[in-house]
Amino acid sequence: MALENSVFPSCPDSLSLPVEEKVEGEEVEVATEATASTGVFNLLGELGHVVTTETAPSPPPLAKVNRSFQAKLAEREAQANEPRKKTQGTEKERGRFGWVRTRRKRQRYVEKNGRCNVQHGNMRETYRFLTDIFTTLVDLNWRCSLFVFVMAYAGTWLFFGAIWYLIAYCRGDLDHLEDETWTPCVNNVNGFISAFLFSIETETTIGYGHRVITDQCPVGTMLLLLQAILGSMVNAFMVGCMFVKISQPNKRAETLVFSKHAVISLRDDKLCLMFRVGDLRSSHIVGANMRAKLIKSKQTQEGEFIPLDQTDISVGFETGDDRLFLVSPLVISHEIDVHSPFWDMSQAQLEKEDFEIVVILEGMVEATGMTCQARSSYLAEEVLWGHRFSPMMSLAEGFFDIDYGAFHHTFEVVSPSCSARELSLAAARLDAHLYWSISSRLDEEPTLTNQAAKQPDSGSADSKGGEPTFIVGEMTDIQEQTGLGELNGSVATDQSESEA
């Protein structure tokens, strides 16, 4: 790009742009050395890319350069004045010179699939896991569980097989294999392999009949009883672990779905936080119960910092609305009232907040009778202000049809952008204005009634030649004087009659 020297008289031959090395997790910025004049520096900032000045034989006209610069400046100011739109996922911002930099997304406490993103470290009392070995084996993944299952049986078979071989070796049964007059401890045990096979037949109670213990070996009889008892214990323990692991209701939670976003909108003239939950299976969740938690760090008045503080979010515990009949998808609503942690939160403040809402659905699986729990979470950028969930139920012929294609769909509605506190104060002021206006009108009704009742008296006064007086409220001074005069006149007439 070539620039005329008359426009920028102190424009250098080139501009050096030192570039910092890109490090993972850090932002990359490109800064321009202030070797040019103010006009050149502003031009570079507005164009947003590297500009080098070279002498050109035919520079562009002055008026054309000024018009393009002013147009770009006006466009940039217009973009800066526009309200910043909230983006989902990874947010991108523009740096000083127009370079895109990525802002790191908030770390989730609970993933969308319900997995808790917490790892325990530096645990020194690991022996506590052995005290509850059954739960420890159930909590293992399938690879470790299958490995322990195989090794438990193979270990006991090898252990007792080695003991049977040791008994045969110590008694000399291996030295009298061809001697028919010799009575061994176990018939047809001629090595370790045959002893191992006899151990398997004994523990699994197969009993092929080829290898049999004789009555001439009391030690073998005691060992046979011990292996039968320990084998039954191993069977019960390992089969129980595998059965519990297979029948765990964790996979049942895979068919309990939550909406991708939560919404805030008006419901019955009150701001409510809402999300949707549904069950994909035909078998229902018995006694379904919904809970919600707000995960947000806070600092107490004494200066104590509490990371990831948990606050209850009411979803109808007082009214019983938290107990669900989850036959069709339901919209769970949290009324934002004075007890809600979102009481002072407006739409503009929501875009700046950093919190996480964890929702928990608990219930009993109808098929197995075991308790199941499904979890999900919503970050601040996943809460849509002024939206509402689309309806997904329609009436078909003989049944209700649920369209799960609209499960996550929302649409925008007219909603106030102020907080619930400000909305409540505005409603209170409106109610107070209506109250006083109605009460003032009610106070005027008796006055109008008295005025209508006293209008005949005023007509009689007119017949006597007096001026009509309109009564509104209390009696006027003229009426009081007139009444007193009439009273005095009547008294004087009575006195004259008595004298006569």
Side-chain angles (χ1 to χ4, degrees):
M1 179 179 181
L3 300 176
E4 189 174 0
N5 293 332
S6 60
V7 181
F8 303 104
S10 60
C11 183
D13 295 338
S14 63
L15 298 178
S16 60
L17 297 175
V19 181
E20 297 180 0
E21 295 182 358
K22 183 177 180 181
V23 183
E24 184 179 356
E26 298 181 359
E27 300 173 354
V28 180
E29 296 183 355
V30 179
T32 308
E33 294 184 357
T35 57
S37 63
T38 306
V40 176
F41 184 81
N42 293 335
L43 179 61
L44 296 178
E46 297 303 325
L47 296 180
H49 56 274
V50 179
V51 180
T52 58
T53 58
E54 298 178 357
T55 58
S58 58
L62 176 61
K64 185 176 181 180
V65 174
N66 289 337
R67 283 197 302 269
S68 63
F69 171 75
Q70 293 175 358
K72 290 180 179 294
L73 181 60
E75 182 181 358
R76 179 119 181 191
E77 290 178 354
Q79 292 177 358
N81 293 331
E82 290 181 357
R84 180 184 171 188
K85 296 182 180 180
K86 184 173 63 174
T87 58
Q88 301 175 2
T90 306
E91 298 183 0
K92 295 183 179 180
E93 297 179 351
R94 290 284 177 179
R96 181 179 179 183
F97 301 99
W99 295 83
V100 178
R101 57 187 182 185
T102 304
R103 188 169 67 180
R104 186 171 61 90
K105 192 177 180 180
R106 185 187 187 276
Q107 184 67 42
R108 286 185 179 273
Y109 189 66
V110 177
E111 299 291 342
K112 295 293 286 185
N113 58 1
R115 185 181 65 86
C116 297
N117 195 14
V118 177
Q119 295 183 0
H120 302 281
N122 197 18
M123 294 184 298
R124 300 180 180 180
E125 299 179 355
T126 55
Y127 66 90
R128 295 181 180 272
F129 291 94
L130 299 177
T131 57
D132 189 10
I133 187 64
F134 185 83
T135 306
T136 302
L137 293 176
V138 171
D139 291 340
L140 293 177
N141 54 29
W142 276 105
R143 293 181 181 178
C144 296
S145 297
L146 293 176
F147 177 78
V148 172
F149 185 82
V150 172
M151 292 304 298
Y153 284 103
T156 55
W157 295 339
L158 289 172
F159 175 74
F160 285 102
I163 296 179
W164 287 115
Y165 176 77
L166 183 61
I167 292 175
Y169 178 80
C170 293
R171 291 185 76 256
D173 295 341
L174 301 179
D175 299 333
H176 301 81
L177 296 177
E178 303 297 335
D179 190 359
E180 297 181 357
T181 60
W182 181 264
T183 304
C185 183
V186 180
N187 291 328
N188 300 317
V189 173
N190 52 10
F192 179 77
I193 300 299
S194 59
F196 177 70
L197 294 176
F198 178 72
S199 175
I200 295 176
E201 294 175 11
T202 302
E203 187 168 341
T204 58
T205 65
I206 294 176
Y208 291 115
H210 184 65
R211 300 177 183 88
V212 182
I213 189 173
T214 61
D215 55 356
Q216 301 295 326
C217 184
V219 178
T221 304
M222 299 298 297
L223 183 61
L224 180 64
L225 295 176
L226 180 62
Q227 185 176 3
I229 295 173
L230 292 180
S232 300
M233 295 176 62
V234 171
N235 288 333
F237 190 82
M238 297 310 301
V239 172
C241 287
M242 296 302 294
F243 175 77
V244 172
K245 192 171 183 63
I246 292 173
S247 61
Q248 273 186 327
N250 295 339
K251 297 302 180 181
R252 179 64 177 89
E254 297 293 334
T255 54
L256 297 174
V257 292
F258 295 89
S259 59
K260 294 181 180 179
H261 298 90
V263 298
I264 294 179
S265 61
L266 287 176
R267 175 176 280 190
D268 295 333
D269 295 334
K270 295 181 180 179
L271 283 177
C272 296
L273 171 70
M274 294 171 285
F275 58 93
R276 181 179 276 171
V277 60
D279 188 5
L280 301 179
R281 288 188 178 272
S282 300
S283 59
H284 310 308
I285 297 295
V286 180
N289 185 24
M290 177 61 66
R291 293 185 293 128
K293 291 280 187 179
L294 175 65
I295 309 297
K296 183 180 179 181
S297 301
K298 74 171 186 178
Q299 189 172 5
T300 62
Q301 298 179 359
E302 294 78 13
E304 179 186 3
F305 179 75
I306 304 177
L308 301 178
D309 181 64
Q310 300 183 9
T311 305
D312 282 332
I313 299 177
S314 176
V315 289
F317 177 77
E318 296 82 3
T319 59
D321 293 337
D322 60 332
R323 295 184 289 273
L324 310 178
F325 181 53
L326 198 59
V327 177
S328 60
L330 301 176
V331 176
I332 310 301
S333 176
H334 162 66
E335 181 180 336
I336 303 179
D337 54 7
V338 67
H339 302 290
S340 173
F342 308 107
W343 176 244
D344 296 321
M345 184 179 299
S346 62
Q347 183 178 4
Q349 188 178 359
L350 176 64
E351 300 177 359
K352 304 176 183 178
E353 285 291 335
D354 187 11
F355 61 84
E356 182 176 357
I357 301 174
V358 179
V359 292
I360 304 170
L361 174 63
E362 294 179 340
M364 188 172 60
V365 181
E366 186 180 27
T368 61
M370 303 184 70
T371 304
C372 173
Q373 184 181 91
R375 298 179 294 266
S376 186
S377 66
Y378 301 98
L379 297 180
E381 56 266 20
E382 295 174 347
V383 179
L384 305 179
W385 190 288
H387 282 247
R388 187 181 298 166
F389 286 105
S390 301
M392 53 184 302
M393 179 183 292
S394 60
L395 180 60
E397 185 177 356
F399 60 93
F400 293 95
D401 185 23
I402 306 297
D403 181 18
Y404 274 94
F407 183 81
H408 303 285
H409 185 262
T410 62
F411 63 95
E412 194 170 357
V413 295
V414 178
S415 299
S417 60
C418 62
S419 63
R421 175 193 288 273
E422 297 173 353
L423 186 62
S424 177
L425 291 177
R429 285 194 292 266
L430 181 60
D431 293 342
H433 175 71
L434 293 176
Y435 172 77
W436 287 110
S437 62
I438 294 174
S439 61
S440 61
R441 292 184 179 180
L442 292 176
D443 293 339
E444 291 178 359
E445 289 182 0
T447 305
L448 297 176
T449 305
N450 295 334
Q451 179 181 357
K454 293 181 179 180
Q455 282 181 356
D457 297 339
S458 62
S460 62
D462 293 340
S463 62
K464 294 180 180 180
E467 293 293 333
T469 304
F470 297 96
I471 303 172
V472 177
E474 299 179 354
M475 185 180 295
T476 60
D477 295 339
I478 299 175
Q479 293 173 343
E480 291 179 359
Q481 295 176 2
T482 305
L484 291 175
E486 293 177 354
L487 182 60
N488 293 334
S490 62
V491 172
T493 305
D494 294 340
Q495 289 178 358
S496 61
E497 291 179 354
S498 61
E499 290 177 358

